[in-house]
Amino acid sequence: MRLNRLLASVAVVAMTVSTASAQTPPVPQSTDPVEVEINQGVLRPMQIAVANFNGQNGSDLGGVIRDDLRRSGYFEPLDPAGFVETGLTLANAPNFPQWTSIGAQAVLYGSVTPRPDGRNDFGFRLYDPYRQCQLVSYQFTATPEQWRRIGHKIADLVYQRMTGETGLFDSRVVFVSESGTQLNRLSRLAISDQDGFNPVYLTQGDEVIMSPRFSLNDPNEITYVALGRDYSRIYLFNLATGRRESLGEFDGQVLAPRFSNDGSKMAFSIIRAGNTDVYVMDLASRQLRRLTSDPGIDTSPSFSPDNSQIVFTSDRSGSARLYTMRSDGSGQRPISRGGGLYTAPNWSPRGDLIAFTKQGGGRFSTGVMNTDGSGERILSSSYFEEGPSWAPNGRYIMFARQSPGGDTRLWTVDLSGRVVSQAGYSGRGTDPAWSPLLDEQPVTLGGGGPDGCPT
């Protein structure tokens, strides 16, 4: 059951560091700086040379970094086969003319060094070959098995230094993995790295899984709905301990749970006597409060980052539109203004935009609007797509897309709508939810020293 099919589904159920404000290096044909405009739909990706690291898994580590940066749309990693200088070490700066000669606007290299305690040091340096100075240097210490995650963390620091925005790569995605046939479909709760690697299946397929969501306050805490033969339950699941806990039994079917951003509350819908309303539960006391009472369907609540407001879908006007209200249920008002059906709203972690699914003209679209409903923009349209989920930096959206007669896959789009691509998970998946960053990024990016670039 998918949220943007909720009107039909409910009918069936009732009868479902310093961030860089500095300029980036110039392109080879000009001495003028390249300016990366995050909000523009057209930009020239920065050509970056990412050398394979020296040491254990060094080649694969370099590949992870290149793949992350390429998918962002802001970087064009150069082919290592074309590098003139090889054998770079952390003890020395690059030979800058050999990198400008191949058009590299930034050069990244590093090494993996074993420690006596069995862990590895993962060090790297990022240089601007045109200004001939160091942009970033940093070292992580981790077990050898964590090399892939370290690659994501390095890509985050490069992204942060070169764009001035927080990274997104050291994160995970929880989703519903589907297998089987249309008449005999198996759905399992699944989680993977944001690039689709290391998938783990958290349920066995004996329940129908819906609406998995992360707590933005704790990347180890998720919620989801499980439908059994004679029940629907909201579960809390802790990824670190494996503990699963039900929120309790409700008089009616539960739908679309989502944490408040401080992790203290859960908003969701309950279908009772043909009516669907939004409720909020205090997770400490388990006290339940009803927020909407209009006839029809009120569902898919999503909190603003400061938890003061909730956006939700309602068909109280005759068709599905987006509404906002205060977190106590007061001040309910419509915000979507265009034609078509609006579902699955999701408030950006930055607080500036609301993502949504829109159905109209025989197509489904993923779009964003300002929090008052103005400035609506469609980022992606296709035969079928649904369920937008924000990356932790609020600059990318993951959603599920299906082609005519094909399988449903996970896709991503950036806020310009220019970078649209299939996500890394190779299987069938729906209802994606992006985690917050797994760790805090370093507050200070070491780029200082006698050769450090001014910020």
Side-chain angles (χ1 to χ4, degrees):
M1 181 190 310
R2 299 184 174 116
L3 290 182
N4 66 355
R5 296 172 178 168
L6 187 59
L7 298 180
S9 300
V10 167
V12 170
V13 170
M15 337 168 262
T16 123
V17 182
S18 160
T19 58
S21 58
Q23 295 169 328
T24 56
V27 298
Q29 295 83 359
S30 170
T31 57
D32 295 328
V34 174
E35 186 171 313
V36 178
E37 294 285 352
I38 300 299
N39 286 324
Q40 289 185 356
V42 178
L43 58 84
R44 182 175 182 176
M46 174 179 289
Q47 292 187 312
I48 183 170
V50 180
N52 291 330
F53 280 41
N54 300 317
Q56 184 180 10
N57 297 119
S59 177
D60 293 332
L61 180 61
V64 168
I65 299 169
R66 285 190 290 271
D67 288 344
D68 280 349
L69 296 177
R70 182 182 293 108
R71 282 196 309 276
S72 77
Y74 295 116
F75 299 90
E76 181 185 341
L78 299 174
D79 185 350
F83 294 174
V84 177
E85 183 179 20
T86 59
L88 290 165
T89 69
L90 293 177
N92 301 103
N95 185 323
F96 299 117
Q98 293 192 10
W99 295 99
T100 57
S101 70
I102 63 171
Q105 298 170 258
V107 181
L108 173 71
Y109 60 96
S111 65
V112 183
T113 307
R115 295 166 55 102
D117 61 5
R119 296 182 297 168
N120 286 339
D121 288 332
F122 299 82
F124 76 94
R125 296 182 186 275
L126 178 69
Y127 274 89
D128 178 339
Y130 286 89
R131 290 191 288 169
Q132 300 190 2
C133 55
Q134 182 176 265
L135 292 161
V136 180
S137 66
Y138 206 80
Q139 178 176 292
F140 295 97
T141 300
T143 63
E145 295 76 21
Q146 292 179 297
W147 65 267
R148 176 173 286 277
R149 186 176 173 204
I150 296 300
H152 295 319
K153 296 176 78 67
I154 293 172
D156 274 334
L157 295 186
V158 173
Y159 181 94
Q160 179 179 339
R161 181 63 176 87
M162 303 309 293
T163 70
E165 296 287 340
T166 304
L168 67 150
F169 305 115
D170 183 30
S171 59
R172 294 185 288 183
V173 177
V174 65
F175 57 96
V176 178
S177 172
E178 294 186 344
S179 58
T181 65
Q182 188 74 21
L183 297 177
N184 188 23
R185 179 176 297 171
L186 183 71
S187 71
R188 292 181 293 173
L189 181 65
I191 189 169
S192 72
D193 297 345
Q194 54 78 27
D195 59 355
F197 281 80
N198 302 320
V200 176
Y201 302 98
L202 304 173
T203 60
Q204 302 302 313
D206 52 348
E207 298 171 309
V208 175
I209 303 301
M210 299 168 52
S211 307
R213 300 290 181 259
F214 273 99
S215 167
L216 299 185
N217 188 57
D218 181 355
N220 282 315
E221 195 76 22
I222 62 174
T223 185
Y224 65 94
V225 170
L227 300 181
R229 186 176 298 276
D230 57 358
Y231 65 85
S232 68
R233 294 181 185 137
I234 296 175
Y235 284 106
L236 299 178
F237 189 98
N238 188 282
L239 297 169
T241 65
R243 182 172 183 262
R244 187 173 90 154
E245 176 187 5
S246 171
L247 287 190
E249 300 297 327
F250 298 93
D251 179 18
Q253 178 167 347
V254 290
L255 293 169
R258 196 183 295 270
F259 288 98
S260 61
N261 288 280
D262 61 3
S264 67
K265 296 180 176 63
M266 183 80 71
F268 53 94
S269 293
I270 304 178
I271 306 172
R272 288 175 175 165
N275 195 44
T276 306
D277 285 303
V278 175
Y279 293 75
V280 168
M281 174 179 280
D282 182 279
L283 293 178
S285 66
R286 298 300 169 93
Q287 288 186 322
L288 189 66
R289 179 176 183 179
R290 182 177 177 176
L291 298 187
T292 67
S293 57
D294 282 87
I297 299 170
D298 297 333
T299 190
S300 301
S302 175
F303 286 90
S304 62
D306 63 1
N307 301 308
S308 65
Q309 298 185 74
I310 294 174
V311 62
F312 63 102
T313 294
S314 177
D315 69 347
R316 63 184 65 178
S317 67
S319 63
R321 300 175 66 186
L322 301 188
Y323 288 70
T324 58
M325 60 182 168
R326 299 184 189 93
S327 58
D328 62 1
S330 63
Q332 298 178 23
R333 65 186 185 92
I335 60 169
S336 56
R337 303 171 183 177
L341 303 177
Y342 292 81
T343 56
N346 192 345
W347 214 302
S348 165
R350 301 170 67 99
D352 56 341
L353 296 170
I354 294 171
F356 57 86
T357 298
K358 184 176 182 179
Q359 181 184 359
R363 294 174 67 81
F364 288 78
S365 302
T366 298
V368 294
M369 64 176 64
N370 296 327
T371 58
D372 63 357
S374 64
E376 179 179 322
R377 291 186 291 122
I378 297 300
L379 305 180
S380 169
S381 293
S382 63
Y383 167 77
F384 177 80
E385 55 191 62
E386 66 171 353
S389 177
W390 290 96
N393 67 356
R395 291 299 180 185
Y396 299 82
I397 294 171
M398 186 174 290
F399 57 96
R401 172 186 280 188
Q402 182 182 19
S403 58
D407 293 329
T408 306
R409 308 283 183 175
L410 304 183
W411 285 70
T412 59
V413 63
D414 76 329
L415 277 185
S416 73
R418 180 183 62 88
V419 183
V420 186
S421 62
Q422 187 172 325
Y425 178 69
S426 59
R428 292 156 53 185
T430 64
D431 256 343
W434 216 318
S435 79
L437 288 177
L438 302 182
D439 286 330
E440 293 288 337
Q441 289 181 290
V443 176
T444 301
L445 296 180
D451 64 343
C453 292
T455 56

